[in-house]
């Protein structure tokens, strides 16, 4: 099954499933909030859909309200499947399914959970992250943990194939996921949590999974990332309350002055990731010729304009609902889709 991790095996016959009430529950855990999407299906018809948002103490502990709500759903419908959208640091993709490929990219194979996709490339998550998910859902259990790479890969496979080097990007509330392909050959992938400035920049092929008893070292991005002149200019101007001076001012400079907070971090990390792809000898890189963005956050138009100016390529945006896509993955894996 094309899932990152599963605890339960789906042994029911599809013909029986169609006559049962099936309940799909997708959960996304952010830093201080948790989103739960519910979909009930019977006789191939959707009979109920609902989305709820909860405040939680932290990513390390779900609130009692969330636990009680999930347990009530499980008690109400026997065939209930709960899935988590994994948005933590220790995950990535490797352009091979072979163990030696992980060694090449300095990833300790025995410390990660791996799923091979189409016998061509693989998605991994650290055992640390898997244990984190199991711990915070210990009172309800989890049926699936879905990687954002799996979601992005599933989305891109439903697109018409483009010639050349295509960059696919999934934006979410606190992260971006990038996969670069040449036809069906994976060239590069990275997952970046952009919720906080101090978060790690994870370039996944070169990320070293450390001993499970250790914690991930944080990177001082201002020290570690060599900023481009344009990104440095954005950072310098981001702290200045500046009015747009005149119509003669360059349009791109005006855009850069408007980028703050989450928007600024997205641009910063995107720029760093693309330079990593182009400059690191580990990757078989070539110039990106097309960008497809799956947008769940209503991206600032200034960001899109800025990226077009930087890349000088066509950029296409498709608005999606990440909770709906999560439910679709559960249906796919349980044999309904």
């Amino acid at each position: 099954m094309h899932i990152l991790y599963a605890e339960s095996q789906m042994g029911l016959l599809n013909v029986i499933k169609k006559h049962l009430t099936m309940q799909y529950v997708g959960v996304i855990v952010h830093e201080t909030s948790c989103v739960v999407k519910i979909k009930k299906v019977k006789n191939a018809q959707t009979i109920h859909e609902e989305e709820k948002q909860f405040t939680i103490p932290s990513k390390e502990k779900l609130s009692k309200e969330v636990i009680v709500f999930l347990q009530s759903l499980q008690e109400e419908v026997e065939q209930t499947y709960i899935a988590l959208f994994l948005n933590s640091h220790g995950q990535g993709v490797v352009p091979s399914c072979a163990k030696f490929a992980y060694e090449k990219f300095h990833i300790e194979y025995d410390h990660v959970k791996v799923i091979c996709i189409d016998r061509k490339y693989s998605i991994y998550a650290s055992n640390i992250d898997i244990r984190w998910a199991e711990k915070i859902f210990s009172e309800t259990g989890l049926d699936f943990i879905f990687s954002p790479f799996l979601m992005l890969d599933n989305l891109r496979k439903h697109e018409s194939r483009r010639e050349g080097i295509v960059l696919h990007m999934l934006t979410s509330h606190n992260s971006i996921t990038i996969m670069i392909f040449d036809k069906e050959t994976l060239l590069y992938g990275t997952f970046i949590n952009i919720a906080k400035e101090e978060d790690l920049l994870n370039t996944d092929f070169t990320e070293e999974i450390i001993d499970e008893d250790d914690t991930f070292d944080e990177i001082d991005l201002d020290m570690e990332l060599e900023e481009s002149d344009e990104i440095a200019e954005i950072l310098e101007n981001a702290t200045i309350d500046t009015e747009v001076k005149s119509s003669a001012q360059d349009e791109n400079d005006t855009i850069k002055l408007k980028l703050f907070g989450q928007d600024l971090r997205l641009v910063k990390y995107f720029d760093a990731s693309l330079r990593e792809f182009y400059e690191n000898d580990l990757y078989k890189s070539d110039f990106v010729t097309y960008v497809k963005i799956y947008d769940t956050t209503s991206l600032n138009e200034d960001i899109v304009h800025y990226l077009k100016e930087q890349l000088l390529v066509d950029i296409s945006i498709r608005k999606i609902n990440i909770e709906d896509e999560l439910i679709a993955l559960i249906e796919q894996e349980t044999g309904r889709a």
Side-chain angles (χ1 to χ4, degrees):
M1 290 188 292
H2 285 180
I3 55 177
L4 182 58
Y5 173 71
E7 287 182 342
S8 61
Q9 298 297 319
M10 306 307 159
L12 295 176
L13 296 174
N14 289 337
V15 65
I16 297 177
K17 289 181 180 179
K18 292 179 181 178
H19 298 285
L20 296 173
T21 298
M22 309 286 286
Q23 184 169 238
Y24 308 106
V25 181
V27 183
I28 303 177
V29 177
H30 301 301
E31 279 63 36
T32 58
S33 65
C34 175
V35 179
V36 180
K37 175 67 181 282
I38 306 104
K39 181 177 180 180
K40 292 181 185 178
V41 176
K42 186 173 184 179
N43 295 325
Q45 299 294 321
T46 300
I47 59 175
H48 177 73
E49 280 192 274
E50 180 183 4
E51 186 174 310
K52 293 179 70 71
Q53 183 160 326
F54 301 87
T55 299
I56 59 176
S58 73
K59 288 189 72 172
E60 303 305 316
K61 183 177 178 62
L62 297 179
S63 66
K64 189 64 177 178
E65 185 182 10
V66 175
I67 297 298
V68 170
F69 180 69
L70 293 177
Q71 289 175 336
S72 68
L73 293 175
Q74 292 173 310
E75 291 172 2
E76 180 183 350
V77 180
E78 183 176 357
Q79 298 302 320
T80 295
Y81 301 99
I82 299 178
L84 173 69
F85 178 80
L86 188 66
N87 57 5
S88 51
H89 290 306
Q91 59 178 310
V93 289
V94 168
S96 172
C97 295
K99 183 176 181 179
F100 73 83
Y102 279 74
E103 296 171 355
K104 175 183 177 182
F105 291 108
H106 310 293
I107 300 167
E108 295 186 31
Y109 191 84
D110 293 336
H111 289 177
V112 295
K113 180 74 176 182
V114 176
I115 172 175
C116 183
I117 306 295
D118 301 331
R119 298 183 180 179
K120 296 179 180 178
Y121 47 94
S122 53
I123 296 170
Y124 70 84
S126 73
N127 292 338
I128 295 171
D129 285 4
I130 298 299
R131 289 203 303 269
W132 161 79
E134 291 174 331
K135 179 181 178 181
I136 66 171
F137 287 89
S138 61
E139 296 184 63
T140 63
L142 276 174
D143 297 290
F144 302 103
I145 300 176
F146 288 116
S147 164
F149 290 103
L150 181 66
M151 182 177 290
L152 180 56
D153 197 49
N154 192 58
L155 286 165
R156 75 162 190 95
K157 285 177 177 177
H158 288 85
E159 296 284 342
S160 299
R161 179 181 291 181
R162 298 285 297 240
E163 294 298 320
I165 310 301
V166 181
L167 185 151
H168 302 269
M169 181 167 72
L170 172 67
T171 69
S172 71
H173 171 75
N174 64 352
S175 66
I176 60 174
T177 308
I178 294 172
M179 299 175 81
I180 301 177
F181 281 85
D182 180 2
K183 296 185 175 62
E184 292 302 308
T185 300
L186 176 70
L187 302 179
Y188 174 86
T190 189
F191 172 83
I192 306 161
N193 188 311
I194 60 173
K196 298 179 180 179
E197 184 72 20
E198 65 267 21
D199 281 343
L200 283 170
L201 174 65
N202 286 318
T203 303
D204 295 305
F205 292 178
T206 58
E207 178 188 74
E208 182 174 355
I209 300 298
I210 61 176
D211 187 88
E212 294 176 17
D213 293 330
D214 295 334
T215 57
F216 289 107
D217 292 328
E218 292 188 347
I219 296 173
D220 184 342
L221 291 171
D222 289 333
M223 297 295 294
E224 296 289 338
L225 292 181
E226 179 184 353
E227 303 293 350
S228 68
D229 291 341
E230 292 185 336
I231 296 297
E233 185 178 350
I234 298 176
L235 292 171
E236 179 181 355
N237 290 325
T239 58
I240 302 174
D241 184 12
T242 305
E243 295 182 357
V244 178
K245 296 180 179 180
S246 69
S247 59
Q249 184 178 17
D250 180 79
E251 182 180 5
N252 202 37
D253 288 338
T254 303
I255 290 171
K256 289 186 290 183
L257 292 174
K258 295 179 181 179
L259 298 178
F260 295 92
Q262 195 91 333
D263 294 342
L264 178 60
R265 287 193 289 271
L266 187 150
V267 169
K268 179 179 179 179
Y269 287 114
F270 182 91
D271 179 80
S273 299
L274 199 58
R275 285 188 287 111
E276 175 73 5
F277 170 60
Y278 285 143
E279 297 172 9
N280 194 317
D281 292 338
L282 282 173
Y283 314 128
K284 298 172 62 176
S285 61
D286 201 348
F287 285 106
V288 171
T289 58
Y290 177 70
V291 174
K292 180 72 177 188
I293 300 175
Y294 302 92
D295 178 22
T296 72
T297 59
S298 298
L299 277 177
N300 187 328
E301 291 183 3
D302 293 327
I303 289 181
V304 178
H305 188 98
Y306 178 81
L307 294 178
K308 286 182 178 180
E309 291 291 318
Q310 295 306 297
L311 298 176
L312 300 177
V313 298
D314 185 24
I315 297 179
S316 175
I317 299 177
R318 175 182 162 191
K319 300 284 187 182
I320 66 168
N321 181 293
I322 198 166
E323 290 80 17
D324 289 344
E325 296 300 330
L326 183 54
I327 295 294
L329 286 176
I330 307 175
E331 293 181 290
Q332 181 175 303
E333 294 302 327
T334 56
R336 180 175 181 268

